[in-house]
Structure formats: structure tokens, C-alpha cells
């Protein structure tokens, strides 16, 4: 069946035909070939994040990216004597706070406007005001708006105080260069269906071995016990504790190979950035203002304000979908807006086609 449209969304996203084709065979989870694929993926992810295999490990976890974030929060933070600080400037930061509420983890929320980056100066002040904080979590690429938060400035503030760092890099790892070894981050969480350009089905956590080793007995959930998952994959290489998403794993393995063939993360970052830049300039020329400052904009997804009070997003969405593209509604609570992603099997040629369609719409609906 031919794909009827391109997904201009922050994941799931448009994948290549070869990634789709990798899912056409049924695999046995106990088979040595399949287990080798799992182990290879774990090592490739470390390379992707420039994480030293001596100090870091990769833990794969069934479920969406939020499962990975919840497993990390629920396992990394001890049941007693710990306080989590959450830096929030969008829906996914709020989700971390909600996870802490569910697990009754004491937490301090530092909330920024949705169109404002997580400011290292304010975080530094908040950490000084709350010396009880032991763990810190924030989102790198906040897809509520498309903001890219400055983790390279935030993590050193944490290391100086001995605070454990947890970074949600769901929609950035693989599309934005990250050097875990230089950053010295403790936990970084991402997902198969984002910038690596696989499909939904599992999350993965890059964890500092020395920190993860301290977490036995912390988990509040059986299936989301990150420590137990790590131990299973260590004692039985390639084996997941519970049924693994075999087809998704093979699609991800293919996607990793294609990322390497493209030239790696830096090359993909340049492709994404070129698409985002073309989209941004083209949309502004068509009367759609940006929600956030271009200086804070990442290459993953861009938010645009409605051009006027009569703008009908549903009609706009359908017009575009019928012509081959699917976009995202807005998530910014205070500003009527919508979002367009620039990740996946997409380039500037596709963005130019989209802009031509939107130009036609604007002529019909000024």
C-alpha cells in the first residue's frame, strides 16, 4: 500500500521504505541472531550519543518514550531521602512532574513560559534556594514549541553540586549532536520513533553505570524497573525481561544503519536544520509568525501563530492532508498556534512542496 502522505510531526514520523520492509519477517526472541541484533543496537546507541562504553550502558524498554522517562524517574530517585527538581517549559516537562506526583516523589518545579528556554541562571538560583535537591530532570527538545534547551549549560551546574541529571532527549538524540561523555550526564532518555527514524515500540535509556548500580530496589513498578531490565540484559545478553517488540527492533536496526550511511548525526542535523530554516522563512513570508525566538529554535519542530482570528485550523489541516502532508495542532496554551515537524525521511524538496500548498491555501483563505 502506498503511503498517502508525509508525516511532518515530531514522531511517529515518515520512515524509509527499507525501514518498513525490515518489519516483514516474524522473529523469535530467544533466537541467537535476534539477541545479537539487540546487543548491537545497545552498542550503536552509545556510539550515537558519544557515550563511553566503559562508563555508560544502554537499557532498552518496551513502550513509548514516556515509559522510558517514567522508568528512569521511578528507578533513579530513591524512595526516601531524595528530592527531584523539574525544569519545565512545556507539556513534556509537566509530564515529568506528573510522574513524580504519581510516585509520591518530593519535587520542586521551576516553571518557565512555554516560549522561553530553561534559563541556567534561574536554575542556578533555584538550586541554591533548594539545597535538598538530589536529582534534576528536564527536556532537551521541548516539542510543545520546538525550543531546544541548553543542556550543555545546565548539566555542569548539577555536577558541581553532586546532583543526578536526567535528560529527556526524546526528540533530539540522533538529530542533534550530543556528547554524553563530555556532558557527563547521568541519564538520557530517547525513543525508537524519533530522530533515528525508526517506528514506535520501545524507548531506550543511556545510563551511567555507576549511578544505575545504586538503584536496586528503588523502582515503584515491576515492568518499569530500569535496574532489573539492565540486569536481565547484562546476565543474558540480548534478552529482554518481557516480550520484546521484535519487528520494531529490526526496523530500528535498519534505521541505525541508514543513519550511519547518511553520514551520522552531524549530517542529519544539517539536513533537519536546512528543512527547518526553509520552513521558517517560507511560512513567515506567507504570514505565519513564529511562536518562539529563532535563537532558541531547534531543528525538530516549529510552532506558528494563527495568521488571523478567522483562521480555521481544521480546514487548513484537511486541505494540506488531501495534498500529501500531515502536520500537528498547537500545544501552547496561551497562543493559538500549530506545529510543523522537519524530522524523518523529509528534506527541503518536501518543504518547498508544502509551502506551495500552503500558499495556495492562503490565496483561497486570505
Amino acid at each position: 500500500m502506498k503511503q498517502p502522505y508525509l508525516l511532518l510531526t515530531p514522531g511517529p514520523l515518515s520512515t524509509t521504505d527499507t525501514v518498513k520492509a525490515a518489519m516483514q519477517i516474524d522473529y523469535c526472541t530467544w533466537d541467537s541472531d535476534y539477541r545479537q541484533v539487540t546487543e548491537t543496537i545497545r552498542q550503536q546507541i552509545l556510539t550515537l550519543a558519544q557515550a563511553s562504553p566503559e562508563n555508560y550502558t544502554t537499557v532498552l524498554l518496551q513502550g513509548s518514550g514516556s515509559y522510558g522517562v517514567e522508568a528512569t524517574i521511578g528507578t533513579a530517585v530513591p524512595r526516601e531521602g531524595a528530592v527531584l527538581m523539574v525544569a519545565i517549559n512545556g507539556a513534556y516537562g509537566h509530564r515529568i512532574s506528573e510522574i513524580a506526583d504519581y510516585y509520591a516523589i518530593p519535587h520542586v518545579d521551576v516553571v518557565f513560559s512555554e516560549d522561553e528556554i530553561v534559563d541556567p541562571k534561574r536554575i542556578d538560583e533555584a538550586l541554591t534556594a533548594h539545597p535538598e535537591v538530589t536529582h534534576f530532570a528536564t527536556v532537551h527538545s521541548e516539542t510543545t514549541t520546538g525550543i531546544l534547551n541548553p543542556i550543555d549549560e545546565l548539566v555542569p551546574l548539577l555536577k558541581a553540586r553532586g546532583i543526578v541529571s536526567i535528560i529527556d532527549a526524546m526528540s533530539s538524540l540522533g538529530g542533534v549532536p550530543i556528547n554524553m561523555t563530555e556532558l557527563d550526564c547521568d541519564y538520557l532518555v530517547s525513543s525508537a520513533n524519533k530522530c533515528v527514524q525508526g517506528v514506535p515500540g520501545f524507548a531506550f535509556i543511556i545510563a551511567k553505570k555507576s549511578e544505575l548500580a545504586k538503584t536496586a530496589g528503588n523502582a515503584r513498578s515491576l515492568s518499569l524497573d530500569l535496574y532489573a531490565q539492565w540486569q536481565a540484559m547484562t546476565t543474558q545478553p540480548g534478552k529482554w525481561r518481557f516480550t520484546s517488540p521484535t519487528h520494531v527492533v529490526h526496523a530500528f536496526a535498519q534505521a541505525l544503519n541508514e543513519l550511519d550511511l547518511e553520514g551520522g548525526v552531524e549530517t542529519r542535523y544539517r539536513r533537519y536544520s536546512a528543512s527547518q530554516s526553509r520552513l521558517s522563512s517560507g511560512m513567515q513570508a506567507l504570514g505565519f509568525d513564529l511562536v518562539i525566538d529563532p535563537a532558541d529554535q531547534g531543528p525538530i519542530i516549529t510552532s506558528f501563530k494563527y495568521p488571523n482570528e478567522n483562521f480555521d485550523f481544521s480546514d487548513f489541516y484537511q486541505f494540506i492532508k488531501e495534498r500529501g502532508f500531515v502536520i500537528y495542532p498547537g500545544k501552547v496554551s496561551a497562543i493559538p498556534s500549530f506545529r510543523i515537524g522537519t524530522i524523518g525521511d523529509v528534506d527541503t524538496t518536501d518543504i518547498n512542496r508544502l509551502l506551495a500548498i500552503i500558499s495556495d491555501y492562503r490565496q483561497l483563505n486570505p
Side-chain angles (χ1 to χ4, degrees):
M1 179 179 176
K2 179 177 171 56
Q3 176 71 24
Y5 44 71
L6 280 175
L7 295 176
L8 297 182
T9 58
L13 38 66
S14 287
T15 56
T16 63
D17 290 341
T18 41
V19 166
K20 296 180 183 72
M23 295 186 286
Q24 298 306 306
I25 299 174
D26 300 323
Y27 301 94
C28 172
T29 59
W30 278 99
D31 186 85
S32 59
D33 289 346
Y34 174 74
R35 292 173 66 171
Q36 183 57 53
V37 170
T38 295
E39 280 303 291
T40 299
I41 283 172
R42 294 181 67 204
Q43 297 309 309
Q44 286 176 307
I45 289 170
L46 292 180
T47 301
L48 184 72
Q50 301 183 67
S52 161
E54 290 77 26
N55 298 322
Y56 288 95
T57 187
T58 306
V59 185
L60 311 179
L61 185 73
Q62 301 90 327
S64 71
S66 292
Y67 284 55
V69 174
E70 182 167 338
T72 305
I73 297 296
T75 303
V77 183
R79 299 190 184 208
E80 296 180 356
V83 177
L84 174 69
M85 177 176 285
V86 187
I88 301 169
N89 63 341
Y92 299 97
H94 282 292
R95 185 170 295 175
I96 296 173
S97 176
E98 187 177 8
I99 290 168
D101 285 337
Y102 265 76
Y103 287 152
I105 294 172
H107 59 101
V108 176
D109 292 349
V110 184
V111 183
F112 298 81
S113 169
E114 292 167 320
D115 60 354
E116 178 187 8
I117 65 163
V118 171
D119 179 16
K121 182 179 179 182
R122 269 190 61 191
I123 294 302
D124 193 34
E125 293 169 351
L127 291 170
T128 299
H130 293 278
E132 73 275 18
V133 168
T134 57
H135 294 68
F136 176 94
T138 196
V139 178
H140 184 205
S141 174
E142 178 51 87
T143 55
T144 298
T145 57
I147 278 179
L148 199 64
N149 286 316
I151 59 173
D152 56 332
E153 298 177 50
L154 293 168
V155 174
L157 299 176
L158 311 173
K159 303 316 295 183
R161 292 172 167 81
I163 295 171
V164 176
S165 54
I166 301 169
I167 304 298
D168 174 342
M170 207 62 59
S171 62
S172 58
L173 185 66
V176 176
I178 296 174
N179 189 320
M180 285 280 288
T181 299
E182 288 186 2
L183 192 62
D184 200 24
C185 175
D186 296 306
Y187 296 92
L188 187 139
V189 190
S190 194
S191 178
N193 61 294
K194 302 291 186 178
C195 293
V196 175
Q197 297 183 186
V199 300
F202 70 89
F204 53 89
I205 299 90
I206 303 168
K208 189 174 287 185
K209 293 177 185 177
S210 58
E211 286 300 325
L212 188 54
K214 301 173 185 176
T215 63
N218 285 356
R220 286 81 165 167
S221 164
L222 171 66
S223 58
L224 298 182
D225 187 335
L226 193 63
Y227 178 87
Q229 189 87 335
W230 175 45
Q231 289 301 296
M233 290 184 167
T234 300
T235 58
Q236 300 182 77
K239 193 73 181 74
W240 305 50
R241 279 193 305 151
F242 307 114
T243 302
S244 62
T246 54
H247 301 77
V248 174
V249 168
H250 274 267
F252 188 74
Q254 176 63 27
L256 280 170
N257 291 337
E258 292 179 13
L259 172 55
D260 187 54
L261 288 172
E262 185 175 347
V265 177
E266 290 281 356
T267 302
R268 183 159 289 180
Y269 173 68
R270 289 195 293 271
R271 171 164 64 87
Y272 287 173
S273 296
S275 293
Q276 192 283 326
S277 178
R278 177 68 191 102
L279 174 70
S280 181
S281 61
M283 289 294 285
Q284 289 177 89
L286 292 171
F288 295 92
D289 292 335
L290 301 171
V291 170
I292 62 173
D293 189 321
D296 302 329
Q297 175 70 55
I300 309 304
I301 192 167
T302 308
S303 295
F304 299 98
K305 298 176 184 178
Y306 287 3
N308 54 61
E309 60 183 17
N310 298 318
F311 180 73
D312 185 339
F313 176 75
S314 295
D315 183 64
F316 178 66
Y317 176 93
Q318 197 61 39
F319 184 91
I320 294 172
K321 181 180 178 180
E322 289 170 357
R323 289 156 180 80
F325 295 93
V326 165
I327 63 173
Y328 246 30
K331 214 171 176 71
V332 181
S333 58
I335 303 171
S337 61
F338 60 90
R339 296 171 292 165
I340 301 178
T342 40
I343 62 175
D345 188 28
V346 173
D347 60 24
T348 52
T349 301
D350 300 304
I351 299 303
N352 285 332
R353 287 198 296 120
L354 172 72
L355 291 170
I357 292 167
I358 293 175
S359 177
D360 290 342
Y361 182 86
R362 291 289 281 151
Q363 290 178 36
L364 294 171
N365 302 272

